[in-house]
Amino acid sequence: MKTSIFGKFQKLAERVDTLRVSGRLPFGLQMDEMLSQTRARIGNREVLLAGTNNYLGLTFDTDVMEAAKAAIDAQGTATTGSRLANGSYAAHLDLEERLKEYFEVPSAIVCTTGYQANLAAISALAGRGDHLLLDADSHACIYDAARLSDADTIRFRHNSPADLDKRLSRLPKEGGRLVVIEGLYSMFGDVAPVAEFVEVAHAHGAMLFVDEAHSVGCYGERGRGVAQAQGVADKVDFISGTFSKSFASIGGFCVSRHVELELIRMVSRPYLFTASGSPSNVAAAQAALVKIAGEPQLGQALWDRVHQLYDGLTEAGFEPISPAAPIIAIPRPDEQVAVAEWNRLMDAGVYVNLAVPPATPQSKSLLRLSVSAAHSEADIDEVLAGFRSLLEDGAPAPSMAASGS
Ligand code: PMP
């Protein structure tokens, strides 16, 4: 008998059905109307958004919106082709110049998404005969980049320079070595010891690539990320990032202190074979960069709200996995509890991310929050009230969070 190609999805379909509580599915939720950076109408009610990655709240910033609109008026809605085939627009090149200035590096490549930036850079940099060393908790696109590359891939223990050291010492002398880590990890909200990784990588002749998708805009002087905050931005070999979070747009980039990064434009398939970023996206990212670099009060507002939320959650008895960060992950005992609590938060008018395996490290089920500079003190109080309501009868005691970890 022939097997249907859909057969393999049967178990998944059953699991999705169990996650659908009273007709509401936590993934791919329909936002009926975006009311602001922090509010949406879902169905007939207004919901406070505490899971958007809109760290600086710039998606409704007047200057960013005006820049995007002006770009459409001047350049149209799309580029309709790749940079190699159709040519780069001046705006792509200009944004690359601005990124070079911002990161103080000689090389920058703008891509259409952050996913593509990692795929393009990592898969081209690590080739046949090279070794690619990935932090075990790396984002899916880093793993996908490894699949696309012809390099031998080795995983090392999450955030463990000691484990990386051990694995690098066992490698044969031949071939290049590229180590990939993230600045701020998207699920647990934990920060990498980038300075220690730089030392270990360079001691073994390896280059270090840091994905700062979640950390640019949030950490470091002028928001330049975790490597900068730890004083090693000039030693890190490659930094990638996205325009889909603090930059309030769509797109991605890779920058480097090595001018040779430019060479990958000629060979990297994910760079070569996809359409370039649309004029409005590029313009929004550029306008946001001006704000990220020049308006430190945005970062200050973000961190004020981070501490308010983090302190409120811990005072209530919740136990976030990591120290205070713009991403706060609360582990729950299992998927059923997490789903039930996610729904209770929605009933209370608070949207957070539900994160469950396989998207999470260590098979954890999480309620994941992300904080925005656009959240007011009253917004954070509202989120906290939602979480406190979980502790009323029927909810597991917060201490169970620890037993789930
Ligand atoms: N890297 C990390 C660590 C991410 O979390 C993400 C997306 N959430 C990406 C890269 C991809 O970014 P984009 O959404 O721009 O494709």
Side-chain angles (χ1 to χ4, degrees):
M1 205 174 73
K2 279 206 197 94
T3 310
S4 159
I5 54 167
F6 294 125
K8 56 184 165 295
F9 302 126
Q10 193 52 41
K11 277 214 158 57
L12 176 68
E14 286 160 16
R15 185 172 168 214
V16 167
D17 277 344
T18 64
L19 292 177
R20 200 189 305 272
V21 177
S22 41
R24 191 195 278 150
L25 189 63
F27 308 111
L29 197 69
Q30 179 171 327
M31 303 277 167
D32 291 297
E33 191 183 353
M34 292 307 295
L35 303 171
S36 72
Q37 306 93 316
T38 52
R39 302 257 165 191
R41 180 178 62 76
I42 299 178
N44 56 9
R45 77 169 300 171
E46 189 178 311
V47 174
L48 173 61
L49 304 174
T52 59
N53 305 321
N54 195 352
Y55 300 118
L56 300 181
L58 292 175
T59 51
F60 277 75
D61 179 272
T62 327
D63 296 331
V64 176
M65 289 165 83
E66 284 308 322
K69 290 179 203 168
I72 290 181
D73 285 342
Q75 302 162 55
T77 53
T79 63
T80 65
S82 72
R83 293 182 63 177
L84 200 83
N86 288 24
S88 294
Y89 284 22
H92 296 118
L93 298 166
D94 197 32
L95 182 51
E96 286 170 348
E97 287 309 310
R98 299 286 91 77
L99 286 167
K100 285 186 210 171
E101 282 165 22
Y102 177 61
F103 286 105
E104 300 179 88
V105 290
S107 183
I109 299 182
V110 162
C111 293
T112 313
T113 67
Y115 184 101
Q116 185 214 4
N118 277 342
L119 223 56
I122 296 167
S123 73
L125 290 167
R128 193 177 305 281
D130 294 333
H131 289 94
L132 186 53
L133 296 107
L134 309 184
D135 184 287
D137 284 6
S138 288
H139 188 267
C141 62
I142 296 172
Y143 277 108
D144 292 350
R147 281 190 183 188
L148 195 62
S149 115
D150 288 322
D152 282 338
T153 303
I154 297 153
R155 286 198 303 179
F156 57 91
R157 205 172 311 131
H158 173 55
N159 266 353
S160 173
D163 193 45
L164 173 66
D165 187 46
K166 208 162 63 191
R167 285 168 199 273
L168 280 167
S169 3
R170 290 184 195 144
L171 291 182
K173 293 256 176 299
E174 307 73 44
R177 299 163 172 197
L178 183 68
V179 175
V180 185
I181 61 171
E182 294 171 33
L184 173 67
Y185 282 84
S186 61
M187 282 296 140
F188 287 178
D190 49 340
V191 168
V194 181
E196 288 173 56
F197 276 119
V198 166
E199 251 181 61
V200 171
H202 289 180
H204 290 276
M207 286 192 174
L208 183 67
F209 185 114
V210 186
D211 175 354
E212 300 250 29
H214 290 268
S215 31
V216 172
C218 304
Y219 289 81
E221 189 208 338
R222 298 170 70 224
R224 280 178 291 175
V226 169
Q228 205 281 335
Q230 294 181 11
V232 290
D234 58 338
K235 299 198 176 65
V236 166
D237 298 283
F238 307 95
I239 290 177
S240 70
T242 175
F243 298 142
S244 71
K245 306 179 197 307
S246 288
F247 287 78
S249 185
I250 289 280
F253 64 86
C254 182
V255 302
S256 179
R257 64 195 181 92
H258 306 287
V259 74
E260 293 90 340
L261 175 67
E262 295 296 327
L263 297 170
I264 72 163
R265 290 186 204 261
M266 295 297 166
V267 293
S268 172
R269 295 169 67 84
Y271 178 80
L272 289 170
F273 297 112
T274 200
S276 58
S278 75
S280 56
N281 287 142
V282 171
Q286 178 139 338
L289 177 56
V290 172
K291 307 236 151 192
I292 293 169
E295 298 188 12
Q297 66 277 16
L298 284 172
Q300 190 53 53
L302 169 69
W303 281 97
D304 287 349
R305 296 290 89 78
V306 165
H307 290 298
Q308 183 191 351
L309 181 57
Y310 194 89
D311 293 350
L313 286 168
T314 50
E315 274 157 29
F318 290 96
E319 297 176 4
I321 293 190
S322 306
I327 297 165
I328 301 175
I330 314 280
R332 306 318 290 150
D334 56 46
E335 186 169 298
Q336 279 69 35
V337 171
V339 172
E341 291 183 343
W342 180 87
N343 273 284
R344 288 178 63 184
L345 287 167
M346 282 295 286
D347 291 340
V350 176
Y351 171 80
V352 302
N353 303 121
L354 173 71
V356 293
T360 51
Q362 299 164 33
S363 296
K364 291 232 199 277
S365 294
L366 308 170
L367 295 175
R368 173 192 181 276
L369 300 112
S370 62
V371 184
S372 173
H375 283 133
S376 66
E377 260 185 80
D379 288 340
I380 300 295
D381 285 340
E382 207 176 315
V383 177
L384 288 169
F387 269 82
R388 278 194 295 268
S389 76
L390 298 180
L391 305 177
E392 287 152 18
D393 26 272
S399 58
M400 282 183 68
S403 68
S405 51

